Amino acid sequence: PVQWLEQTLWELGLEVHRQSFSRTLPFPDETRERYMVHGTNVYGILRAPRAASTEALVLSVPCSPGTQNNQAVGLMLALAAYFREQIYWAKDIIFLVTEHDLLGTEAWLEAYHDINLTEVQSLGTPGRAGAIQAAIALELSSDVVTSFDVAVEGLNGQLPNLDLLNLFHAFCQKNGLLCTIQGKLPRSDWDSLPGYAHSLQTLALMVLAQASGRARGDHGLFLRYRVQALTLRGINSFRQTKHGMAALGRTLEGMFRKLNNLLERLHQSYFFYLLPSLSRFVSIGLYMPAFGFLLLVLVLKISFGWGGGWGWEPGPSATRLSPQEARPGLLVLLPPVLICEAAGLALYLLPVLGQQVATQHFPVSEAEAVVLTIIAIYVAGMALPHNTHRVLPGAGAAQGWLALKLVALVALALVLVALALLNFSLGFLLAATMVPAAAAVQPNGPKVLLAAVLVLATPAVTLLLSIFLERELLEVPAGAGEGWQLFLA
């Protein structure tokens, strides 16, 4: 309701603006079969009476056609009316209502910061405030709630400053609100065995959510612009304790007053952490050694291989090499390495480029065509480890294999280290599945068993198993059909 929102915000005394945008989707919206999305964002700016509009705070509410999240829009308007009467604001406050969820939020952020990252076509933002210091995204399922669930995971595993999360937790406790993370309430007996199991379950859910790389709310898009943000979801469940809009309003008003007192950006505290509960966290200094021990397996393997101590000897038909021929040259390793890199390039380019061809010749949707193409490339790639020994000299098969595995382990270790620095959860999950397989595989031994280990260690299988594991931890198990649809998504 663009016109109604503009009129209401204007009557509250705010500076009101609208922003129209459009976005061409890489995949069509299968529910409506559309390739182009058009939308309008509406936002009102409350100018700070005690500052020169150099800094701002954002309260963002996604609004779609229908009654979904109408309660959040109403609470935002009530807060805007209350904030307008106060004189202590030192930062501008932007009340933002976005359309099409993440698409509208991204369009507004790109226009506000005057950049274009995702090819969103927009008319820009005619009204601006100061540099955004923090943002809160609000979602409500009804006009009464039993608990507040907070989402922290952003794009590619980014996390907000821990102080912002502690601020939310403190105000929930002050106002008697139940607050959860990953949908799990904290236990009072946290130092008991059931308490440890509950904390481990919550921690595993956060690892899976962060490893997915998806933003679990509108706040995830603010994080890429170095704006600390959270998504707060009001949950109305079967619990007897109910809270009305007044308690939610007091919590949000208290958070904005605290953020209004910031003298600088949130840059202290932690940006890298894992949460077993809202009252406790695991810092990077504690969870990184676990990843280091996994990589230690690769380092030891590389060390033993460099010294020739892997313990694999060629068969009796292999010819003894002279010391000068014991180590193959780098050109011998070039073909299998190039083949593997070409397979990776094909995984990156072919699925999206070939989706139109697949949909024209097969009765599948665009999303299914992309996933099936990826699976086909994976299946074709399974033959590569079996065939790489053919490009090596016959007499030097043993030493050639040792050198090839040495190069592969070094490359795997470097990729996992770089990935863990960007998204620890994703790097840890891949290391936990790929490192044992990479360390165990060798030419001799049970080929069927080793092949099965390699298949189970592929990232695609890890993703599929992670989907089922997450649903089990959420206590809503998924069937095979539902798991496949989640895998496509």
Side-chain angles (χ1 to χ4, degrees):
V2 175
Q3 293 182 352
W4 180 85
L5 280 171
E6 286 183 327
Q7 180 68 21
T8 305
L9 291 172
W10 181 80
E11 291 175 353
L12 293 177
L14 304 184
E15 180 183 321
V16 186
H17 304 278
R18 73 163 66 180
Q19 178 211 9
S20 300
F21 66 91
S22 61
R23 174 75 163 93
T24 302
L25 300 178
F27 304 103
D29 186 347
E30 296 181 2
T31 59
R32 301 184 182 180
E33 295 184 354
R34 58 183 180 183
Y35 286 88
M36 178 73 74
V37 170
H38 300 273
T40 304
N41 298 325
V42 179
Y43 62 102
I45 302 176
L46 173 60
R47 298 293 179 183
R50 293 180 175 269
S53 294
T54 57
E55 296 177 341
L57 304 173
V58 174
L59 177 59
S60 173
V61 175
C63 182
S64 300
T67 59
Q68 185 179 5
N69 215 30
N70 278 359
Q71 293 83 4
V73 177
L75 180 58
M76 183 202 72
L77 295 175
L79 287 171
Y82 176 77
F83 288 178
R84 181 67 178 83
E85 300 173 356
Q86 311 307 315
I87 62 172
Y88 47 71
W89 298 112
K91 293 178 173 60
D92 294 345
I93 301 179
I94 303 174
F95 299 91
L96 172 64
V97 182
T98 61
E99 192 175 1
H100 301 303
D101 297 328
L102 296 179
L103 290 177
T105 304
E106 180 62 27
W108 187 84
L109 284 170
E110 289 188 6
Y112 191 87
H113 293 91
D114 197 20
I115 58 175
N116 194 339
L117 299 175
T118 58
E119 300 179 357
V120 174
Q121 299 177 1
S122 170
L123 298 179
T125 54
R128 294 178 181 274
I132 302 175
Q133 303 296 301
I136 302 293
L138 183 62
E139 299 178 12
L140 298 178
S141 58
S142 68
D143 54 355
V144 293
V145 300
T146 54
S147 62
F148 246 147
D149 188 71
V150 58
V152 296
E153 297 84 8
L155 288 175
N156 298 323
Q158 282 184 294
L159 297 173
N161 190 285
L162 190 59
D163 281 344
L164 189 60
L165 189 66
N166 293 335
L167 179 67
F168 162 72
H169 185 221
F171 270 101
C172 283
Q173 289 184 320
K174 180 179 180 180
N175 293 319
L177 280 169
L178 291 176
C179 51
T180 64
I181 187 162
Q182 310 299 334
K184 301 292 183 181
L185 276 173
R187 294 174 63 104
S188 57
D189 56 340
W190 60 271
D191 55 346
S192 63
L193 185 59
Y196 280 120
H198 182 82
S199 298
L200 181 61
Q201 188 178 9
T202 307
L203 185 70
L205 282 171
M206 180 175 179
V207 168
L208 292 173
Q210 187 182 17
S212 69
R214 298 174 60 185
R216 294 191 62 232
D218 287 357
H219 77 283
L221 300 180
F222 283 88
L223 294 177
R224 74 191 303 184
Y225 296 90
R226 205 181 160 211
V227 176
Q228 308 309 312
L230 294 174
T231 292
L232 308 181
R233 293 189 174 95
I235 307 299
N236 186 11
S237 63
F238 56 85
R239 299 187 184 94
Q240 295 181 355
T241 305
K242 304 286 185 180
H243 300 277
M245 289 293 175
L248 307 185
R250 281 194 297 269
T251 302
L252 290 171
E253 189 262 348
M255 291 184 66
F256 272 86
R257 285 196 67 174
K258 289 294 185 183
L259 293 172
N260 181 65
N261 294 335
L262 280 177
L263 298 180
E264 55 185 347
R265 282 182 177 270
L266 285 168
H267 63 92
Q268 301 289 346
S269 189
Y270 291 87
F271 288 92
F272 301 97
Y273 52 86
L274 296 175
L275 296 172
S277 71
L278 277 174
S279 57
R280 288 172 177 81
F281 72 99
V282 182
S283 70
I284 187 173
L286 294 176
Y287 63 68
M288 262 310 193
F291 180 80
F293 279 117
L294 283 174
L295 289 187
L296 184 62
V297 177
L298 294 181
V299 174
L300 293 176
K301 266 293 188 181
I302 293 170
S303 301
F304 291 152
W306 189 266
W310 276 350
W312 181 75
E313 296 293 337
S317 60
T319 307
R320 286 286 180 182
L321 298 178
S322 63
Q324 291 79 11
E325 297 175 332
R327 297 284 182 182
L330 292 179
L331 291 178
V332 177
L333 306 178
L334 194 59
V337 172
L338 287 180
I339 291 173
C340 292
E341 295 295 335
L345 189 62
L347 279 171
Y348 185 73
L349 296 177
L350 291 184
V352 177
L353 293 178
Q355 63 171 325
Q356 295 182 351
V357 178
T359 52
Q360 291 175 358
H361 295 84
F362 300 97
V364 293
S365 64
E366 281 80 356
E368 290 177 333
V370 170
V371 177
L372 292 175
T373 306
I374 292 176
I375 293 176
I377 298 174
Y378 261 117
V379 173
M382 291 178 188
L384 296 179
H386 177 68
N387 293 330
T388 48
H389 71 279
R390 298 179 183 177
V391 302
L392 301 174
Q399 293 295 334
W401 173 82
L402 292 176
L404 180 61
K405 182 164 184 178
L406 184 66
V407 171
L409 292 182
V410 171
L412 179 62
L414 292 176
V415 169
L416 290 177
V417 167
L419 192 59
L421 294 176
L422 298 174
N423 187 341
F424 166 78
S425 297
L426 180 58
F428 179 80
L429 286 181
L430 291 180
T433 53
M434 298 176 70
V435 167
V441 169
Q442 55 186 7
N444 58 355
K447 291 187 176 182
V448 176
L449 179 60
L450 293 176
V453 169
L454 283 176
V455 171
L456 292 176
T458 56
V461 177
T462 302
L463 172 61
L464 184 61
L465 295 179
S466 298
I467 290 172
F468 288 103
L469 175 61
E470 183 180 29
R471 295 300 296 268
E472 288 291 337
L473 293 175
L474 291 172
E475 300 177 0
V476 282
E482 186 180 2
W484 172 252
Q485 292 301 322
L486 292 172
F487 182 74
L488 290 180

